[in-house]
Amino acid sequence: MSKFYNEIAEKYDYIFPLSPAHQTFFASELCGKTVLDVGAATGNLTAHLLSQGYKVTAIDLSERLIAEAAKKGIVVQPLNMLDIDQLPIFDNIVCIGNTLPHLDSKTSVQLFLQKAYGQLAQKGKLILQIVNFQKYFAQKKGNYLGNLPLIANDKVKFERFYYLNDSDKIIFKTILDDTIENEELLQPIFANELTDWLIKIGFKNLKLYGNFKKDPFEAEKSMTLIVSAEK
């Protein structure tokens, strides 16, 4: 994972800017005062939440992304998301940007969710955002699952494609500015299994959205799955 993110670090903010919809969403969903930002990347969400008065701990594994955050005065700790039980208790744990599927197995995903539950204060909130993989599996042709929308502006061109390998992992192929190609393996996670895991762990008041504007999640249509759950 670090090679992929290290190579796109300088263009990351042009590819994945923090939108007004993100800001409105978190203003309505967060509780309390403390936040753990898991997979914080260049620290855009962290910076926004700090500006809103939250006390934020940010973690990531990419040295280059952490360095880009530091240029903006944002401290991102180099910590694996499976080690969050080394940290204090938080009112909110946020894991967006399709970070969760970078874990190597469904067992690891469930372990993270269990640890997140343990690191939340009572009535604390867990907010997750992943790609809606069910939509891509539904349109599978051979081993090709389709492409994510092209990201293109005057600063960057970023192409993204999904393929399925023999182990039922997703090969995430990217092309940056027509020159830098990368492949990452992703663990597909479906809405029904994610919600089942959360409920079994003890989370309640689950809310599912199809985007940060809070449109309803539709398994066959939504590009994104966002889950808000309470301890």
Side-chain angles (χ1 to χ4, degrees):
M1 178 172 64
S2 59
K3 177 180 181 292
F4 165 62
Y5 283 107
N6 283 340
E7 290 195 347
I8 69 169
E10 290 185 2
K11 295 288 187 81
Y12 189 91
D13 288 348
Y14 301 124
I15 301 170
F16 304 116
L18 191 72
S19 69
H22 283 87
Q23 297 178 21
T24 302
F25 177 90
F26 286 106
S28 66
E29 285 290 333
L30 296 182
C31 63
K33 283 295 180 184
T34 58
V35 181
L36 173 60
D37 185 358
V38 178
T42 61
N44 284 337
L45 177 60
T46 294
H48 171 69
L49 295 179
L50 287 170
S51 76
Q52 299 304 301
Y54 291 97
K55 296 179 180 178
V56 187
T57 299
I59 65 171
D60 205 287
L61 282 180
S62 167
E63 294 177 1
R64 291 282 299 280
L65 290 177
I66 291 172
E68 291 296 317
K71 292 177 183 178
K72 297 183 281 190
I74 303 300
V75 176
V76 178
Q77 299 180 30
L79 186 72
N80 191 302
M81 62 191 295
L82 293 179
D83 293 328
I84 61 171
D85 49 346
Q86 299 175 12
L87 299 172
I89 301 298
F90 297 91
D91 296 320
N92 309 274
I93 296 177
V94 176
C95 181
I96 64 171
N98 208 42
T99 298
L100 200 58
H102 284 89
L103 291 172
D104 63 3
S105 66
K106 292 183 179 183
T107 299
S108 294
V109 173
Q110 292 174 75
L111 177 60
F112 168 76
L113 298 176
Q114 184 69 61
K115 290 192 174 189
Y117 187 86
Q119 295 309 116
L120 279 171
Q122 198 62 38
K123 295 190 176 180
K125 299 284 286 289
L126 174 65
I127 296 174
L128 306 169
Q129 180 242 328
I130 63 173
V131 167
N132 175 24
F133 292 108
Q134 185 170 337
K135 168 183 167 59
Y136 288 91
F137 274 73
Q139 64 189 29
K140 179 175 177 289
K141 294 180 179 179
N143 72 330
Y144 181 57
L145 300 178
N147 61 287
L148 279 73
L150 172 69
I151 297 173
N153 53 52
D154 60 347
K155 299 290 187 180
V156 70
K157 179 182 178 184
F158 193 53
E159 300 171 84
R160 300 169 291 172
F161 309 89
Y162 280 162
Y163 300 87
L164 193 65
N165 72 8
D166 294 336
S167 302
D168 289 330
K169 293 287 183 70
I170 291 175
I171 302 169
F172 178 38
K173 180 179 179 180
T174 62
I175 307 173
L176 176 63
D177 294 336
D178 295 319
T179 56
I180 301 174
E181 296 191 19
N182 264 301
E183 289 187 359
E184 285 288 311
L185 282 183
L186 300 178
Q187 172 61 57
I189 305 165
F190 298 99
N192 60 338
E193 58 188 356
L194 180 57
T195 54
D196 284 348
W197 296 336
L198 290 167
I199 291 168
K200 287 177 181 177
I201 288 169
F203 284 98
K204 56 189 178 183
N205 297 334
L206 272 63
K207 299 176 184 176
L208 275 61
Y209 305 108
N211 53 42
F212 282 106
K213 295 178 181 179
K214 292 194 172 183
D215 290 331
F217 173 72
E218 297 182 66
E220 299 296 330
K221 295 181 180 180
S222 298
M223 296 290 300
T224 298
L225 168 65
I226 300 171
V227 180
S228 171
E230 182 181 308
K231 179 171 178 178

